[in-house]
Structure formats: structure tokens, C-alpha cells
Amino acid sequence: GCGLRSMQARAVLRNLPRARQLGPRGSRGYNFASSQFKQCFGGLPIADGKALREDTIAYLKTRDPSLWYSDPVTSILNGEELVGGVERPTVDAFNHDNGRMRVANQEEFEKVVQHIQEFRPDRDYREAVRAMEAEIFADWAPQLIGNQAVDFLKQDGVTEIEESVQANLVERRLNDQLLADEVLGKIVISRAPAYVACVSNFSNFLDLSRKVLRNIELGVPVVVLSRDNTTQHMYRWTQMLMELMQKHDIDRGLVTYAAFDRADQQALLKACPDGPMYITSSREVARIVKEAHGNVIASTGGPNTLVADKMSKEIMEAIQLSAMIENSGPVSYTHLTLPTKRIV
């Protein structure tokens, strides 16, 4: 989903001589499988899947379904809810009514546009964002998993969190390299707002972790866009972020939630065209989005590819896990590449 280099795609090389643009011995420092990339792996944490399942079940037993009606999805700007819009129903992955959303009015739309045009962030929020991130995955994971399960209904959110805590560390290390090179003058990180078009499944990793946390820790503001369906659980983690950003003294202007209809989303992109749109979707949808907004970073339809020189017990377990976690996703599938001599 948008790759480990989604943040790196936002780095713009200065007009330097070619020799200086290249890393040691002429290799590019940000390419897949480079030595710098490889250094970011290893020493990864292992989440307690059993505890995550138990805590999620406990959360779901006490969860109040009426909250998604009494506390509607609403645009959030600088930590404040914009409550002047007209309410309409929200639906889950099977188009069943599951709450309410206030669709922003024209005045609220204009406030959001003005904010993202004028907001000037600092460059480095890593310490505070990573302290917040540690709290999220220590204390909020059951709510993240549970809300997604209720909204999307067909996703293994436990495995998603287990993957997230490992991938997040790798991507923090990549961000460290990126910011270090900006300090050295090798690159400039664009801090135009990044638009997060959330995916209906895997949002806790792809959207919350990769597209929001990794951007804002380097001072890239994000705009989280509402969806036509399954928008409730993304809004709830945005509410969580607002609470924790205030606790950790992080500028809440870095994260905006836009409860916009499709026409206003398109108008927002037109008014503020410099930032990238992150989207995980079918190729058809990605093409449509790119027609409206040229700067698109899209993950489209898989496949997730596993290459191995031989079959092993560990490879077989990975295949089984992949089949379980991805079987109900809207765009993903997995294939395995092995030598032709013997498969099992």
C-alpha cells in the first residue's frame, strides 16, 4: 500500500551536479535494496497477538454503538470540530446504516482551504510524534481493531497491528535518513499538505501509521478525507489523534479531517494542488483520481509478491497468514514465486 518509500517520494532533489546526487559508488541512496535501505531492517518488535485479540473482544463487548450517531463524523480543523454542516447517514462495507456524518458547508470548506494554504509547520516533530505513537499501539490498539471490525466487517485487524509495529520502526528509520539528508542540503522535503484518501481495510497501518504519522513527524501536514462508506473508523482514529496530539504538545494544525462531499474534495485539490494524494484503490479509480489531481501516489490492485528460493515451514506459514488476512480485501491478492523443480 503506497510502498515503504511513500514519504521518500516527497523528497525533491536540489539542482546538484549528478555526482553529488548519487550515493557512494554511484548508487542512489533511496532505492529499494540499497545498503541504506537494508540498514533500516532488523531488531523488530513482536506484538502480543493473543493479548490483542482478548483486549479487542473486551472492547467490543463494552462498545456503545449509539456513539457513531450521537457524535457524528465531522470536519476537524486545528483540533476543533466544525459543526455547521448537514447530517447524513454513514454506511459500513455492506451499505448498512451505522452512524451519521456532518457534511461541511461552504464556510467550513473555505476555512479548511485557508488553513492548508497558510499553515507553516516546523521541520521536525519526531520525538513527540513517536512518543504519541508508542502510546497509540500500547493503549489504543483494541479500539483501532474493534472499530475497523465493526465498520469493514471482514479484516484481520490483529495481524495488521502485528505488522504495523514492525513496519513502523523500519519506516521511522527511513525517515531519519531522509531528514538527515535534508539537514545536509542533499534534498528538500516538500511540506505541501498530503491528502490521505483512506482505504476501507488496513487503514490502521496504511493510513494512520504510514501516511499520517510518518508525514507529520517530518512536518508534512495531512488532510484525511472522508469516504462514501466505512468512514467511521478512520474518523475515530482522527479523534484519537486530536486528543493525543494535545497531550503530547503537537501542533494540531498538522492534521485536518475533511468531512466533504466528492465535489468539495475535488475543489479542495484544485485550490491546493501542490500536495500528493495517497490512495490505495483499483487501477480504474486511480486513473480517475489522477485526471483530477496529477500528483498521486497510488497502490493499485496488488499483487503482494513473495519470492523464495525454496519452500520451507516458515514460507508456508507466511502463505497461510497472507491468505487469511487478504482474502476479503477489495484490491489485494498474493502470489508466490518459487523454482520450478519442486514446490512441496
Side-chain angles (χ1 to χ4, degrees):
C2 291
L4 284 173
R5 292 172 296 160
S6 61
M7 186 63 180
Q8 296 158 4
R10 298 174 52 74
V12 181
L13 286 169
R14 291 185 185 273
N15 293 322
L16 300 176
R18 180 172 175 79
R20 288 188 60 197
Q21 290 183 14
L22 301 178
R25 291 175 288 183
S27 62
R28 293 188 180 276
Y30 292 105
N31 283 353
F32 177 75
S34 67
S35 58
Q36 294 94 331
F37 184 87
K38 183 179 179 182
Q39 290 169 4
C40 295
F41 291 82
L44 303 179
I46 298 176
D48 187 340
K50 182 175 183 293
L52 285 171
R53 284 180 174 83
E54 292 173 350
D55 292 345
T56 299
I57 291 170
Y59 165 72
L60 289 171
K61 287 181 178 179
T62 61
R63 174 184 170 273
D64 180 6
S66 69
L67 179 66
W68 290 6
Y69 292 88
S70 61
D71 182 20
V73 174
T74 301
S75 295
I76 301 176
L77 182 62
N78 285 314
E80 301 297 326
E81 295 182 353
L82 306 181
V83 298
V86 176
E87 289 191 15
R88 72 181 186 194
T90 60
V91 295
D92 64 20
F94 293 98
N95 289 320
H96 297 145
D97 186 301
N98 70 347
R100 305 288 290 176
M101 178 173 76
R102 293 189 190 97
V103 180
N105 60 28
Q106 182 63 28
E107 180 183 357
E108 292 168 342
F109 168 80
E110 291 172 359
K111 286 181 178 179
V112 170
V113 170
Q114 181 179 5
H115 169 74
I116 63 177
Q117 287 178 338
E118 298 178 356
F119 182 67
R120 296 296 179 266
D122 292 333
R123 182 161 69 174
D124 184 0
Y125 297 86
R126 286 176 297 168
E127 182 177 357
V129 169
R130 292 176 185 184
M132 176 177 69
E133 182 177 357
E135 184 171 348
I136 289 171
F137 286 95
D139 300 337
W140 292 77
Q143 290 94 318
L144 294 174
I145 298 168
N147 288 340
Q148 181 172 270
V150 170
D151 206 10
F152 186 64
L153 301 168
K154 48 183 180 175
Q155 177 71 34
D156 179 4
V158 174
T159 305
E160 178 184 5
I161 296 298
E162 291 175 324
E163 292 183 356
S164 296
V165 297
Q166 295 190 337
N168 289 347
L169 178 55
V170 172
E171 295 179 11
R172 288 197 296 268
R173 292 166 177 169
L174 288 167
N175 264 5
D176 291 341
Q177 292 182 0
L178 193 68
L179 187 60
D181 275 353
E182 184 179 50
V183 171
L184 292 173
K186 295 181 179 180
I187 60 170
V188 176
I189 298 172
S190 169
R191 290 181 171 83
Y195 301 102
V196 179
C198 294
V199 65
S200 56
N201 67 328
F202 241 66
S203 181
N204 296 325
F205 172 38
L206 294 181
D207 300 321
L208 169 60
S209 299
R210 174 170 288 171
K211 301 172 191 175
V212 174
L213 295 178
R214 295 289 72 80
N215 270 302
I216 67 172
E217 72 175 1
L218 297 191
V220 179
V222 300
V223 181
V224 182
L225 303 174
S226 60
R227 289 176 50 89
D228 290 336
N229 60 40
T230 63
T231 201
Q232 284 282 351
H233 69 283
M234 298 93 170
Y235 178 70
R236 303 304 155 180
W237 59 244
T238 305
Q239 284 185 313
M240 172 200 70
L241 281 179
M242 292 298 108
E243 177 181 336
L244 293 178
M245 289 173 77
Q246 185 173 35
K247 176 180 177 180
H248 290 271
D249 197 25
I250 301 167
D251 189 337
R252 293 193 290 178
L254 284 163
V255 177
T256 299
Y257 189 90
F260 289 0
D261 60 25
R262 189 167 298 181
D264 276 349
Q265 289 184 2
Q266 292 173 346
L268 176 66
L269 295 174
K270 185 176 181 180
C272 309
D274 294 335
M277 161 77 84
Y278 293 103
I279 187 169
T280 302
S281 67
S282 68
R283 287 174 172 83
E284 180 182 2
V285 169
R287 281 194 294 268
I288 293 171
V289 172
K290 190 169 180 61
E291 289 174 1
H293 185 70
N295 189 358
V296 175
I297 301 174
S299 174
T300 53
N304 296 321
T305 303
L306 173 62
V307 180
D309 60 355
K310 62 182 179 180
M311 182 61 76
S312 67
K313 179 177 179 292
E314 291 77 14
I315 294 294
M316 184 64 74
E317 289 175 350
I319 295 169
Q320 292 169 341
L321 282 172
S322 179
M324 287 187 291
I325 194 171
E326 294 287 6
N327 76 89
S328 297
V331 298
S332 296
Y333 61 96
T334 300
H335 72 256
L336 170 67
T337 300
L338 282 168
T340 58
K341 292 181 180 179
R342 187 177 181 182
I343 300 300
V344 293

